[in-house]
């Protein structure tokens, strides 16, 4: 535990939804929900306006629609969010060499290691500068917590939300924690919280009074001892700049249960290929192949196989995943499939026999391999514009009207609102055929106008018939990923 509050925790406020509101003037101040729009979609982020209706992260999208029927429901643009996250992490890196990212929108910073804070006053000043810099660079807000430990810094940032700063003075930890519910502490989830409630412990003060021996008896040695220390406000975990990746995985939830065994096998092969792409992008290979199958009755089965050496060969991973699928009964239907690779290494030692088998298959049946390889989005659009998908919320550009975003699509039509992040008023809405040759997907525009750029936005937003292209962001990214277009109301 430190004698000064020099550990900072940053948490961007409703990050995905806030980024969408910042890029779409017509959605500012209105409920926005970002997530999967299919029948089994889940909310990724809900804006604070949507939270007033009860919508929240991890909630089934169908439930969110019932609670907030007039919200804007958008497909995530992860490439866009990642580019903003990189800007934020760069600002954190200027404060200290010790930055521990937890996700795209959350990180710990050791201010003492960067020499920018040594007491409460200097730490508060550093936090205030950071919040101002984030707003200037991204146009978004973040909440900052400052304390002498990681646990308390995270609690402080949660209490500071939205768009605030909270500093916990060292020595006040126990008084602050005492009345809080046990779920406040890291590692206390719904199951552990219920177990403690049945034992008569509902607040952090109850845990501290129970003593370490009682918590060890209830929760086991490691968890019980750790929880007792945290209940006393003790947390000596350091800020770690580099974290080793332990596994790489991908999974898909299907709108309709899969019953066809051939379709299930094809989906496993597709997931294996996607998993290998992520594996190679991270610069790793792995020894253990993991298959996850969630059946029609929500029962989840996990199977794994460890190879003789690490691999990043898609043929090897596909073959291993296929063998694992052979041991799973899928006759009742499958609602989710996942493929992962663990036991990661920075080198590759191929299974030569499996690799050779994969090479023979590629040589003997090139046509089948070509058919199995999905076409890139650009190729699919070039081949048949009528089959293009227009995910709600994604960026587009029209030859005549300029930049805009997809408000919704269906029955052969796509509705676009033409506005930019710097538009001074909500833009006009126009509807086109889904195969309109003048309409095409576009890169996201920067949220903050650069030097020399007008704040007036595009001309379409001011009831004109055309607009001039805005400048490109420094970090270019695609329009993100989604599962098809869906109707959305602003």
């Amino acid at each position: 535990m430190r004698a000064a509050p020099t550990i900072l925790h940053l948490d961007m406020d409703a990050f995905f939804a806030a980024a969408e509101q910042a890029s779409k003037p017509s959605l500012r101040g209105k409920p926005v929900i970002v997530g999967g729009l299919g029948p089994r979609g889940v909310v990724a982020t809900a804006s604070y306006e949507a939270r007033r209706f009860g919508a929240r992260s991890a909630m089934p999208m169908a439930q969110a629609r019932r609670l907030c029927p007039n919200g804007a429901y958008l497909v995530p643009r992860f490439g866009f969010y990642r580019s903003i996250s990189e800007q934020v992490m760069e600002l954190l890196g200027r404060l200290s060499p010790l930055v521990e990212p937890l996700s795209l929108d959350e990180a710990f910073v050791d201010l003492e290691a960067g020499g920018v804070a040594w007491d409460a006053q200097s730490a508060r000043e550093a936090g205030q500068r950071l919040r101002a810099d984030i707003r200037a660079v991204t146009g978004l807000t973040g909440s900052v917590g400052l304390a002498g430990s990681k646990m308390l810094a995270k609690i402080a940032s949660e209490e500071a939300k939205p768009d605030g700063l909270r500093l916990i003075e060292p020595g006040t930890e126990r008084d602050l924690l005492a009345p809080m519910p046990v779920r406040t502490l890291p590692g206390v989830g719904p199951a552990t919280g219920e177990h403690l409630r049945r034992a008569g412990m509902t607040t952090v003060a109850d845990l501290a009074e129970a003593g370490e021996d009682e918590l060890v008896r209830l929760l086991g040695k490691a968890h019980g001892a750790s929880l007792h220390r945290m209940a006393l406000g003790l947390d000596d975990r350091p800020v770690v700049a580099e974290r080793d990746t332990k596994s790489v995985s991908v999974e898909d939830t299907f709108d309709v249960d899969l019953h066809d065994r051939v379709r299930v096998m094809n989906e496993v092969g597709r997931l294996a290929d996607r998993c290998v792409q992520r594996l190679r992008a991270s610069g790793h290979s792995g020894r253990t192949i993991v298959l996850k199958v969630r059946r029609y009755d929500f029962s989840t089965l996990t199977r794994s196989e460890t190879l003789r050496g690490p691999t990043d060969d898609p043929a090897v991973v596909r073959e291993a995943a296929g063998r694992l699928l052979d041991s799973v009964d899928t006759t009742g239907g499958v609602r989710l499939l996942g493929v992962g690779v663990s036991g990661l290494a920075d080198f590759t030692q191929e299974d030569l026999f499996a690799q050779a088998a994969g090479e023979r298959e590629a040589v003997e049946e090139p046509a089948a391999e070509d058919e199995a390889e999905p076409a890139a989005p650009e190729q699919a659009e070039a081949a048949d514009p009528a089959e293009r998908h227009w995910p709600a919320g994604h960026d587009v550009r029209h030859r005549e009207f300029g930049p805009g975003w997809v408000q919704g699509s269906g029955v052969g039509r796509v509705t676009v609102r033409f506005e930019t992040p710097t538009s001074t008023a909500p833009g006009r809405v126009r509807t086109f055929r889904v195969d309109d040759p003048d309409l095409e997907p576009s890169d996201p525009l920067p949220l903050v106008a650069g030097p020399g750029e007008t704040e007036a936005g595009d001309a379409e937003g001011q009831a004109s018939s055309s607009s001039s292209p805005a400048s490109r962001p420094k970090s270019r990214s695609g329009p993100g990923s989604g599962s098809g277009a869906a109707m959305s109301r602003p």
Side-chain angles (χ1 to χ4, degrees), residues 197-215:
R197 187 195 66 79
R198 289 198 300 266
M201 304 177 198
T202 58
T203 67
V204 176
D206 294 335
L207 300 180
E209 293 172 4
E212 181 176 342
D213 291 343
E214 177 64 12
L215 292 179

Side-chain angles (χ1 to χ4, degrees), residues 301-369:
L301 304 177
T302 302
R303 300 288 185 269
S304 64
E305 175 181 325
T306 300
L307 307 175
R308 287 182 288 182
T311 183
D312 65 353
D313 188 324
V316 174
V317 177
R318 279 199 305 269
E319 185 175 337
R323 287 194 298 269
L324 295 171
L325 181 62
D326 290 339
S327 65
V328 178
D329 180 11
T330 62
T331 53
V334 172
R335 60 182 291 118
L336 177 145
L337 288 170
V339 174
V341 178
S342 60
L344 303 187
D346 295 327
F347 63 94
T348 302
Q349 180 180 336
E350 299 294 0
D351 182 333
L352 299 180
F353 294 102
Q355 184 179 21
E359 291 173 351
R360 286 197 303 273
E361 180 182 347
V363 172
E364 293 171 1
E365 298 181 337
E369 184 70 20

Side-chain angles (χ1 to χ4, degrees), residues 113-135:
V116 297
W118 49 90
D119 58 14
Q121 181 179 349
S122 58
R124 185 182 296 274
E125 291 173 353
Q128 291 172 338
R129 286 197 306 272
L130 173 64
R131 292 176 58 233
D133 290 344
I134 289 174
R135 183 183 286 275

Side-chain angles (χ1 to χ4, degrees), residues 13 24 55 103 154 165 186 378 387:
D13 300 320
K24 301 172 173 63
S103 62
K154 185 173 175 63
L165 182 148
E378 296 81 1
E387 295 182 358

Side-chain angles (χ1 to χ4, degrees), residues 186-449:
V188 182
T192 302
E194 177 61 20
H195 190 48
L196 292 170
R197 187 195 66 79
R198 289 198 300 266
M201 304 177 198
T202 58
T203 67
V204 176
D206 294 335
L207 300 180
E209 293 172 4
E212 181 176 342
D213 291 343
E214 177 64 12
L215 292 179
V216 167
R217 186 186 68 81
L218 288 171
L219 305 174
K221 184 174 182 180
H223 196 186
S226 172
L227 197 58
H228 184 253
R229 284 182 54 81
M230 289 189 290
L232 298 176
L234 303 177
D235 177 24
D236 56 1
R237 294 174 299 160
V239 177
V240 181
E242 296 292 337
R243 285 187 173 273
D244 293 334
T245 303
K246 296 181 178 180
S247 64
V248 175
S249 63
V250 296
E251 62 181 41
D252 274 347
T253 299
F254 306 103
D255 293 342
V256 179
D257 290 351
L258 304 183
H259 293 85
D260 185 349
R261 184 74 177 186
V262 174
R263 170 76 187 281
V264 173
M265 179 65 77
N266 289 339
E267 291 293 340
V268 168
R270 183 179 60 83
L271 289 168
D273 290 341
R274 284 173 50 196
C275 183
V276 169
Q277 290 175 2
R278 290 192 181 184
L279 189 68
R280 289 180 170 178
S282 67
H284 292 94
S285 59
R287 294 186 64 220
T288 302
I289 314 302
V290 181
L291 175 71
K292 177 180 177 182
V293 179
R294 180 166 296 152
R295 298 188 292 190
Y296 69 98
D297 58 357
F298 288 89
S299 61
T300 302
L301 304 177
T302 302
R303 300 288 185 269
S304 64
E305 175 181 325
T306 300
L307 307 175
R308 287 182 288 182
T311 183
D312 65 353
D313 188 324
V316 174
V317 177
R318 279 199 305 269
E319 185 175 337
R323 287 194 298 269
L324 295 171
L325 181 62
D326 290 339
S327 65
V328 178
D329 180 11
T330 62
T331 53
V334 172
R335 60 182 291 118
L336 177 145
L337 288 170
V339 174
V341 178
S342 60
L344 303 187
D346 295 327
F347 63 94
T348 302
Q349 180 180 336
E350 299 294 0
D351 182 333
L352 299 180
F353 294 102
Q355 184 179 21
E359 291 173 351
R360 286 197 303 273
E361 180 182 347
V363 172
E364 293 171 1
E365 298 181 337
E369 184 70 20
D370 291 342
E371 291 171 1
E373 186 68 21
E378 296 81 1
Q379 295 172 339
E381 290 164 6
D384 188 355
E387 295 182 358
R388 289 186 296 178
H389 294 291
W390 301 102
H394 283 218
D395 297 274
V396 295
R397 179 175 289 273
H398 192 274
R399 185 176 301 174
E400 178 182 356
F401 303 112
W405 58 276
V406 176
Q407 187 164 295
S409 66
V411 295
R413 296 288 187 269
V414 54
T415 300
V416 178
R417 186 180 289 273
F418 289 98
E419 61 186 3
T420 70
T422 56
S423 297
T424 55
R428 285 189 174 180
V429 175
R430 297 181 182 272
T431 300
F432 308 91
R433 300 192 317 273
V434 294
D435 60 348
D436 191 320
D438 292 337
L439 189 67
E440 60 183 11
S442 175
D443 288 339
L445 296 174
L447 297 181
V448 178

